[in-house]
Amino acid sequence: MVMSEPSHDNSPLLLGIKLGTACTAVVSSRGYRRLTPSVVGYPRDIIAVRMLGKTQVFGDEALAHKSALALYHPLRDGLAQDGGGKHDYNAAFELLQQVISEARQDEAGDLSAVIGVPARTSHTARAALQHLVEQFCRSALILPEPYLIAHHLNCLANGLIVDIGAGHVTVCAVKGAAPLPQDQAVLPRAGDYLDQQLLAMVNQHHQGVRISLPQARQIKEQYAFVGEPPEPVQVTLRAKGKPGLYDLTDELGTVCASIIPEITEQLAALLQSFDPEDQETVLEHIYLTGGGSRIRGLASKIGEALSEYGSVSVSCVEEPEYAGALGALQLATELPPADWREFGLASRLPETGI
Ligand SMILES: Nc1ncnc2c1ncn2[C@@H]1O[C@H](COP(=O)(O)OP(=O)(O)OP(=O)(O)O)[C@@H](O)[C@H]1O
Ligand SMILES: [Mg+2]
């Protein structure tokens, strides 16, 4: 998490937000930046309310007090699937309200926000969110995350973006306009899947050891790699309560590599949707982003897997957790908020759900 000192000027406050399954990223035109886990907790009972001193808890604080709370992951549990339940909308609304009020840094006055949501979010859910957010933003624009990442990369045509998030991997062909459904593939095996696979493999291979999903995720985030291990993955775990040092190098390498075949298959399929004369350029512009792009060795393994298509360049986006939010802020800055509705970007964008 990085935050700047508030620096007020007279221009209207603009926010770029990425609302993700795992993480919400916010950047502002005043230089503010923050990552918050996309989770909202409500105290389970009156004792929990007294202990926490409030009726809603967000992000890291919610995760730290999870036993006292009913936790909602609004993007994981339903909002991005078709419709979502009332609780998902409430939780998404409250999460957005919270991160936006933090991003204000005590500055009063109007603000406008461009908000990126997972590519699979239905048009109905996007419209509902827009309606909610307009209650506390002068203007709001809700757009699919890959569209904003392409904007951030200034990759407006002839490129392929692979966004490896927690809930999904989105592979998106960038063709100079908002992606159509046929220009993207949304794959369900992403960061959360890797955590579950690692947990299952460790519990199966090491007798008596039981790890939790948050532990599996932490190990993955610290050591994830494909190909040659950059270092042995040795971690202290407990078997029947007693600590011991375990080597998880093979398990982690195998689990991380498991997402490569589907990704390369979709890249190859989407490559063929470009005109043949553009395909060479497209292969030179393949970008990995999302938290999962931090898996060490992934870009070169994906490049190797595509070697039969000729010269290939696969690169990782800097600060992948912020790419969607930075693209959102860039769009908010370039397009005056007063024109957002007139441009009708939100309504013109096609349905991109799976
Ligand atoms: N160093 C790392 N190595 C591997 N995976 C990582 C690393 N750091 C973060 N991740 C994973 O990246 C995922 C979060 O990435 P990101 O913030 O892009 O997802 P999201 O936008 O919230 O999800 P989605 O796009 O599916 O809605 C989590 O699964 C997290 O464990
Ligand atoms: Mg994402």
Side-chain angles (χ1 to χ4, degrees):
M1 179 184 92
V2 188
M3 272 193 274
S4 78
E5 286 297 308
S7 72
H8 300 305
D9 57 36
N10 290 329
S11 57
L13 179 60
L14 298 174
L15 301 183
I17 300 176
K18 183 265 323 200
L19 194 56
T21 304
C23 229
T24 293
V26 184
V27 298
S28 86
S29 53
R30 310 279 188 253
Y32 170 94
R33 288 175 156 223
R34 186 159 187 177
L35 287 177
T36 305
S38 303
V39 54
V40 185
Y42 302 96
R44 286 185 188 281
D45 55 28
I46 194 70
I47 297 175
V49 175
R50 284 192 60 190
M51 183 181 83
L52 293 160
K54 44 193 156 188
T55 53
Q56 296 157 340
V57 194
F58 299 92
D60 288 313
E61 192 184 0
L63 294 176
H65 294 284
K66 61 178 187 286
S67 55
L69 300 167
L71 288 185
Y72 285 89
H73 297 81
L75 276 285
R76 178 174 295 151
D77 297 338
L79 185 67
Q81 327 297 329
D82 205 16
K86 184 168 171 287
H87 284 301
D88 297 318
Y89 279 103
N90 286 347
F93 176 67
E94 284 161 4
L95 179 68
L96 274 170
Q97 202 172 21
Q98 171 71 13
V99 296
I100 288 174
S101 97
E102 286 170 1
R104 273 188 177 281
Q105 296 182 290
D106 297 328
E107 182 178 335
D110 283 344
L111 68 81
S112 298
V114 173
I115 302 173
V117 290
R120 67 191 187 283
T121 311
S122 70
H123 188 82
T124 321
R126 279 208 309 264
L129 253 190
Q130 167 128 8
H131 179 70
L132 292 175
V133 173
E134 279 174 349
Q135 294 175 39
F136 48 89
C137 287
R138 185 181 177 86
S139 307
L141 192 55
I142 314 278
L143 296 170
E145 190 181 357
Y147 183 74
L148 299 172
I149 292 170
H151 207 75
H152 171 61
L153 293 172
N154 207 17
C155 170
L156 302 178
N158 292 335
L160 286 161
I161 290 174
V162 184
D163 178 9
I164 307 169
H168 289 81
V169 175
T170 307
V171 186
C172 181
V174 185
K175 294 182 171 172
L180 297 168
Q182 59 269 32
D183 294 330
Q184 41 184 34
V186 182
L187 311 170
R189 292 180 204 199
D192 288 346
Y193 168 81
L194 297 184
D195 303 342
Q196 286 151 12
Q197 291 302 105
L198 182 62
L199 175 142
M201 224 183 249
V202 170
N203 290 348
Q204 196 182 354
H205 289 186
H206 301 277
Q207 230 190 353
V209 172
R210 287 187 60 79
I211 64 167
S212 64
L213 268 180
Q215 266 181 310
R217 178 174 169 176
Q218 200 183 2
I219 295 166
K220 177 196 72 178
E221 291 182 1
Q222 186 169 351
Y223 296 103
F225 74 94
V226 291
E228 275 306 301
E231 74 220 302
V233 181
Q234 290 181 334
V235 293
T236 301
L237 303 172
R238 285 178 184 270
K240 298 186 178 145
K242 294 182 191 148
L245 195 62
Y246 292 83
D247 189 311
L248 305 183
T249 314
D250 289 347
E251 285 88 348
L252 189 58
T254 306
V255 163
C256 291
S258 69
I259 55 169
I260 296 177
E262 273 184 340
I263 292 176
T264 49
E265 198 180 303
Q266 292 304 330
L267 282 170
L270 286 171
L271 173 70
Q272 289 161 53
S273 71
F274 288 88
D275 291 334
E277 64 274 24
D278 293 329
Q279 292 182 7
E280 199 178 324
T281 312
V282 172
L283 285 165
E284 295 291 337
H285 295 89
I286 301 178
Y287 300 98
L288 306 188
T289 183
S293 67
R294 291 198 183 273
I295 297 173
R296 291 169 292 175
L298 190 60
S300 60
K301 278 283 165 210
I302 291 178
E304 276 170 34
L306 292 171
S307 59
E308 63 183 301
Y309 295 90
S311 170
V312 180
S313 165
V314 184
S315 50
C316 294
V317 170
E318 279 179 35
E319 302 187 290
E321 296 81 6
Y322 279 106
L326 289 168
L329 180 61
Q330 197 178 329
L331 197 69
T333 312
E334 289 166 5
L335 198 62
D339 294 346
W340 291 356
R341 271 203 177 275
E342 189 188 324
F343 273 75
L345 272 178
S347 55
R348 250 187 273 153
L349 276 168
E351 190 72 58
T352 53
I354 36 178

